[in-house]
Each structure stands twice: as C-alpha cells, then as structure tokens.
C-alpha cells in the first residue's frame, strides 16, 4: 500500500482544540482507570489481543464514556448528536480529529488510547487507525509510513529509563511519541527524531493531547538530525527487527543483520554528556563460532560503562514466524508465505545466524580509565519500573571501581530491603547444601552464597565495618580471621554488584 491509504492527520496548528479535546476526554473519564472500570479486566485484556467483540458488547449503552470508547478505541462511527454531547464536535471536525461519514455520523481519524504515566498522569497516545497495539482492525500495519501505538517494547523501554532531571534528552525514532512524553516530565528540552515525517506529526499530537510541552521535532535517520549536539539522556526503541529487506519502516531497520542496533550503540558514545545515559532496546545475532557476549562487548563505544541484559532468545524459525505473523503474512497466499519464510531462513543461513537475542542496552558516559562492561542473561520476571535500579547499578559500578579489597573491608554495608534467604538441601540434612539470597524488588535476582556470605549479609545494618563483621564470624566458626578476610571480599563484591548489599556511607 502507498502513503495515500493513510487518512489525513488532525492539524497540529490548533493547540486550543487539543486542549479542549483533552478536557472533554478527562471529563468523561476516558482514562486508563476509567476504561478498565467500564470494560472490565477481560474485555480490556482482549483489546490487547486485537479482539474487539467483548469491548463492543460492553459499550452498547449511550454514556459519554461508552461513546468515546466506540469512537476512538473501537473506531466505530457514532451518531453526530451523541458525540456533540461529549466533545466540541465542530472544532474536532474542523481541525481533523473527526470526519463526517454517512448521513449523520462521525468517525475518528486517529486512534486515541488512554495511557497512565509512571506518576499516575492521564496521558493519551495517538496512532494510526487500527495501529494501537491490539488495534481494532482499521488499515492494518502494512501501509507505508504507518505509525503504531504503544506496545510492550515501548512500555519496557519507558520502565527501564533512568528518570533523573536533565537539561537535554533525545528520543531517537520517536514513533507515536511515548518516550518523548515520558522525557518531557524530567528534561528541560526534548528532541524527538524520526525518519517518518508522519511519526513526527503524530508525536506532536500525542504531546499536545497529553498536556505536555512541545518537543523539538526533527526528520532524519539515526543521529543525523541531531547535528553535533550532545545530550544527558538518549532513548531509542529502534526498528530492530532482523529481516531480509526493509519492508516495514516502523519495524525493519533497512541495514543488514543487526547492523542498525550496532551502529546506534557505537555512535551514541560521542553524543552523551559526561554522566549521561543512552538506553536502547535491541536484537542481536547469535552467530556460529562466536560468543554472543563478545559480539555485544564489541559494540560498546570507548569512554562508556555498559550494562547489557539479554531477556530472551529465539531460534531462527521462531523468530521468522513471530515477525511474519506480526505483519499478517500468515494470512496471505500459502505459496507467498512459504516464499517469505524461505527468504528469512536464507538470510540467516548466509550470515551463519543460529538464534536472535532480545534485550536492553544501557550506556553511561564515564571519565573512568577502565570502563565497566557487564553483559548478562536474565530471562526471569522483573519489577518495573526499573529506572532507579538501572541508576543504582551504575552507582555500584563506581563504588566498586573506587574500592579495592582493603577498601571493601573498611566499608560499611546495609542489606537491601526485601531480600530473603532460602536454604537448599536434602530433607532432614543437618546443613544445607547451599544458601540462596533472593530479591523481591527490582531485578529480583537470586544468588548462591556460602554460610559465611549468608551470615555476613544477615548482620549488615551499616553499624560495623565489613572487616569487623568478618572477624566476629571467624571467632564464631573457629576460623583464622586473616584467611577469612582474604577470601571473602570477592563474595562481598558480588553481593554489592548484584544489588543485595548497598554501601551505608
């Protein structure tokens, strides 16, 4: 499909209409909470699976909220008179938020989805019709230049982003503007870029309808629109899908393999101010004869600490099927589907790719002589939002870099709240085979420790130095205190690194 298949967008030159529309939506409780109350959990969850029947059944009445859900979420035409009771309908028609259909009905020109900010803000994310995640049919996601709404990847990135007040933030590949909307809450100046001019227009609408300050919107690829400017925060949920060819702008980067993600990460270093963060979602190839961790280490730019977490791995067949289904190709002619599937597998075979990893990449600009690079696999559930946990990780990196073993033993530590101890061993055995410490917050890590490590962590309340605690444990278990001081710092370092212990000073 071509550009012409997309409907004209509302005018972003009428902020007064966006303000009045926002007030009307809020007045009718067209919010994330209001929708959940109206539809109920199961119909609300069905929407995310693109199933609209339960929501249609739940909105058969004529309350203002039911009218708005049918209009903007379910994209049903609604009688003009009913909409006029809820919205400034003449202004919405005039500025293009609504269009007249049939004799006496109006329809939405864009999808408007209520979205709750991390601080409980009532926001609205605008996207093309039928392209909110779980969109209600509409044009489908094949049209060139189509702009999608908030998906799981968008909310994941928003959740892991470090939210400290900053002067300048960059949302690279802004899409419907969700990252720019979050950044506007804690950045003095927000720049949002996209290769797709339609995405920039929709971002302007998302910000205006959410009552957020306007962003500096720039068209172009990767860091090119940013010129030589630098930032305190860079976020990007790029078109990271590794595919043969670049069929879908919002999804396929148009570079070979994982080159788009690599280029983005490598070029980010020069764009960060000292102490600034760059945070990305990415896919990476698992190539025959190469450790995936080494591949990712080679991406990290000089002068940056990095924390890279692999959240998921799919073999090439699972991966190809996921994205063929995402584009609706499984509903096409079987021979065409087979040809497309073959093309994906040919591409992977040529590159010797066995699997594809998905995860988070966080960089932090540092002046340290030896930057720290952590690459790990953590497929287990975590507790979002994780922005504070990400910042704390890098604070701990600084602490450990500045303290040698003697410094650690002189330090005072506290056990982080909500850590529990599990003892693992055979039933009835006197001593456990090993002890596991488990976090119930943030990354929800679990780590094995010996009985000394467990005893040490248990008494860390910040009052005694690590060395003094170890001396007391040595006396208790009848061990040489010098030997214990010698072999325990590695375990303390691990417990600090993984966030079980925090420096008390």
């Amino acid at each position: 499909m071509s550009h012409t298949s997309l409907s004209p967008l509302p005018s972003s030159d009428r902020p007064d209409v966006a303000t009045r529309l926002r007030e009307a939506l809020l007045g009718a409780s067209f919010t994330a909470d209001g929708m959940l109350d109206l539809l109920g959990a199961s119909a609300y969850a069905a929407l995310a699976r693109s199933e609209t029947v339960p929501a249609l059944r739940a909105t058969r009445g004529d309350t203002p909220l039911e009218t708005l859900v049918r209009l903007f979420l379910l994209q049903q035409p609604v009688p003009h008179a009913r909409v006029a009771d809820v919205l400034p309908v003449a202004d919405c028609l005039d500025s293009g938020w609504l269009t007249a259909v049939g004799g006496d009905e109006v329809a939405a020109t864009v999808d408007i989805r209520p979205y709750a900010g991390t601080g409980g803000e009532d926001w609205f994310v605008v996207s093309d019709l039928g392209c909110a995640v779980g969109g209600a049919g509409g044009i489908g996601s094949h049209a060139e230049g189509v702009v999608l709404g908030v998906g799981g990847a968008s909310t994941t990135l928003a959740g892991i982003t470090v939210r400290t007040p900053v002067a300048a933030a960059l949302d690279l590949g802004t899409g419907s503007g969700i990252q720019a909307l979050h950044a506007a809450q804690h950045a003095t100046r927000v720049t949002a870029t996209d290769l797709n001019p339609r995405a920039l227009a929709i971002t302007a609408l998302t910000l205006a309808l959410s009552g957020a300050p306007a962003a500096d919107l720039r068209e172009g690829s990767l860091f090119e629109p940013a010129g030589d400017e630098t930032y305190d925060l860079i976020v990007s949920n790029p078109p990271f899908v590794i595919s043969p060819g670049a069929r879908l702008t919002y999804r396929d980067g148009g570079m070979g393999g994982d080159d788009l993600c690599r280029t983005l990460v490598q070029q980010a270093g020069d764009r960060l101010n000292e102490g600034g963060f760059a945070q990305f979602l990415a896919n990476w190839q698992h190539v025959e004869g190469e450790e995936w961790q080494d591949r990712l280490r080679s991406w990290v730019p000089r002068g940056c600490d990095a924390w890279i977490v692999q959240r998921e791995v799919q073999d090439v067949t699972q991966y190809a099927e996921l994205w063929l289904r995402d584009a609706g190709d499984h509903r096409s002619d079987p021979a065409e589907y087979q040809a497309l599937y073959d093309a994906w597998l040919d591409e992977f075979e040529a590159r010797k790719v066995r699997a594809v990893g998905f995860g988070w990449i966080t960089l932090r600009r540092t002046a340290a002589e030896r930057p720290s690079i952590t690459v790990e696999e953590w497929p287990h559930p975590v507790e979002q939002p994780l922005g504070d946990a990400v910042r704390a990780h890098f604070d701990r990196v600084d602490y450990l870099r500045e303290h040698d073993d003697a410094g650690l033993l002189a330090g005072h530590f506290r056990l982080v709240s909500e850590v529990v101890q599990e003892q693992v061993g055979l039933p009835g055995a006197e001593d456990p085979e090993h002890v596991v410490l488990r976090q119930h917050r943030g990354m929800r890590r679990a780590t094995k420790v010996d009985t000394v490590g467990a005893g040490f962590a248990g008494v860390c309340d910040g009052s005694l130095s690590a060395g003094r605690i170890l001396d007391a444990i040595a006396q208790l278990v009848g061990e040489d205190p010098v030997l214990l001081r010698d072999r325990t710092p590695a375990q303390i370092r691990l417990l600090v690194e993984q966030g079980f212990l925090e420096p008390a000073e």
Side-chain angles (χ1 to χ4, degrees):
M1 276 190 231
S2 66
H3 231 49
T4 54
S5 59
L6 296 170
S7 60
L9 292 172
S11 165
S12 53
D13 299 337
R14 296 285 309 274
D16 58 316
V17 179
T19 302
R20 291 181 62 202
L21 178 54
R22 172 177 170 75
E23 286 167 0
L25 296 177
L26 292 174
S29 296
F30 186 65
T31 61
D33 287 346
M35 265 174 42
L36 188 56
D37 287 346
L38 171 69
L39 300 177
S42 64
Y44 192 51
L47 272 182
R49 301 190 299 271
S50 302
E51 296 294 348
T52 57
V53 173
L56 284 165
R57 290 171 65 86
T59 55
R60 287 181 290 201
D62 55 6
T63 65
L65 181 54
E66 285 167 299
T67 299
L68 293 176
V69 170
R70 288 182 83 85
L71 190 63
F72 290 120
L73 273 189
L74 303 175
Q75 280 122 42
Q76 302 291 309
V78 177
H80 185 291
R82 270 181 64 185
V83 180
D85 289 341
V86 192
L87 298 178
V89 75
D91 281 342
C92 287
L93 283 163
D94 184 45
S95 59
W97 288 96
L98 298 175
T99 185
V101 291
D104 62 345
E105 291 188 316
V106 297
T109 56
V110 286
D111 186 300
I112 298 176
R113 185 131 317 206
Y115 176 85
T118 42
E121 303 90 348
D122 286 315
W123 291 338
F124 300 98
V125 178
V126 178
S127 63
D128 273 314
L129 290 176
C131 287
V133 166
I139 58 164
S141 53
H142 270 303
E144 177 55 38
V146 71
V147 179
L148 301 191
V150 180
S154 317
T155 52
T156 295
L157 179 60
I160 66 172
T161 300
V162 175
R163 300 286 173 204
T164 44
V166 292
L170 170 66
D171 174 15
L172 193 150
T174 186
S176 57
I178 185 64
Q179 310 305 331
L181 181 55
H182 277 281
Q185 311 307 303
H186 62 103
T188 308
R189 183 168 58 84
V190 176
T191 302
T193 70
D194 209 289
L195 194 55
N196 179 3
R198 191 175 177 88
L200 297 175
I202 281 183
T203 291
L205 297 174
T206 290
L207 293 170
L209 198 57
S210 297
D216 178 0
L217 303 172
R218 303 182 193 179
E219 187 182 335
S221 179
L222 296 173
F223 286 103
E224 176 230 341
D228 52 7
E229 291 172 30
T230 55
Y231 301 89
D232 308 299
L233 175 67
I234 297 169
V235 289
S236 185
N237 174 19
F240 54 64
V241 177
I242 298 169
S243 62
R247 253 179 351 134
L248 302 171
T249 316
Y250 71 86
R251 187 192 83 171
D252 307 319
M255 293 186 184
D258 52 16
D259 283 357
L260 178 97
C261 292
R262 177 182 54 79
T263 304
L264 198 56
V265 173
Q266 286 179 338
Q267 292 182 357
D270 292 338
R271 305 289 173 163
L272 283 175
N273 296 325
E274 185 65 33
F277 287 94
Q279 299 188 262
F280 311 101
L281 298 185
N283 271 176
W284 43 80
Q285 297 173 156
H286 285 227
V287 179
E288 207 175 298
E290 174 191 70
E291 294 291 334
W292 66 269
Q293 294 94 331
D294 294 341
R295 183 181 194 82
L296 288 167
R297 281 193 189 93
S298 75
W299 292 9
V300 177
R302 292 180 58 163
C304 287
D305 291 324
W307 183 21
I308 300 171
V309 183
Q310 179 166 279
R311 296 286 292 153
E312 196 180 338
V313 184
Q314 289 188 314
D315 70 44
V316 291
T317 56
Q318 288 174 304
Y319 188 79
E321 288 160 21
L322 168 72
W323 293 109
L324 287 166
R325 274 199 301 273
D326 170 76
D329 293 319
H330 61 306
R331 290 193 291 269
S332 63
D333 167 52
E336 193 185 327
Y337 175 75
Q338 191 174 337
L340 286 166
Y341 199 151
D342 258 335
W344 283 71
L345 296 186
D346 285 346
E347 173 88 358
F348 285 134
E349 208 170 291
R351 293 176 177 279
K352 296 187 172 170
V353 175
R354 291 282 166 262
V356 177
F358 164 79
W360 317 326
I361 297 177
T362 302
L363 306 176
R364 183 188 60 168
R365 188 88 199 164
T366 178
E369 271 179 52
R370 283 177 309 171
S372 153
I373 300 178
T374 304
V375 184
E376 62 173 318
E377 187 158 25
W378 188 252
H380 311 291
V382 297
E383 183 193 48
Q384 285 273 37
L386 273 169
D388 288 346
V390 173
R391 194 181 70 230
H393 167 90
F394 287 94
D395 289 344
R396 295 193 299 270
V397 162
D398 286 341
Y399 179 87
L400 292 171
R401 196 158 39 204
E402 291 157 13
H403 290 77
D404 59 10
D405 286 358
L408 280 186
L409 291 173
H412 293 238
F413 299 96
R414 251 195 312 266
L415 185 66
V416 172
S417 63
E418 293 196 46
V419 171
V420 297
Q421 174 178 310
E422 296 169 4
Q423 300 198 354
V424 182
L426 290 169
E430 207 167 301
D431 293 318
E433 282 170 39
H434 58 258
V435 176
V436 174
L437 298 183
R438 191 179 295 280
Q439 300 166 355
H440 281 282
R441 306 298 301 271
M443 290 293 283
R444 295 184 172 163
R445 292 187 186 281
T447 193
K448 269 190 211 179
V449 287
D450 61 18
T451 47
V452 170
F456 176 84
V459 294
C460 278
D461 60 3
S463 57
L464 294 174
S465 72
R468 292 273 304 279
I469 292 172
L470 287 180
D471 290 345
I473 290 174
Q475 201 171 359
L476 211 64
V477 298
E479 205 173 319
D480 182 338
V482 178
L483 289 177
L484 200 61
R485 275 174 173 255
D486 210 36
R487 69 176 172 86
T488 311
Q491 205 168 180
I492 297 173
R493 197 170 285 279
L494 180 75
L495 290 173
V496 172
E497 190 183 311
Q498 295 201 340
F500 288 90
L501 295 177
E502 57 187 11
E505 57 267 22

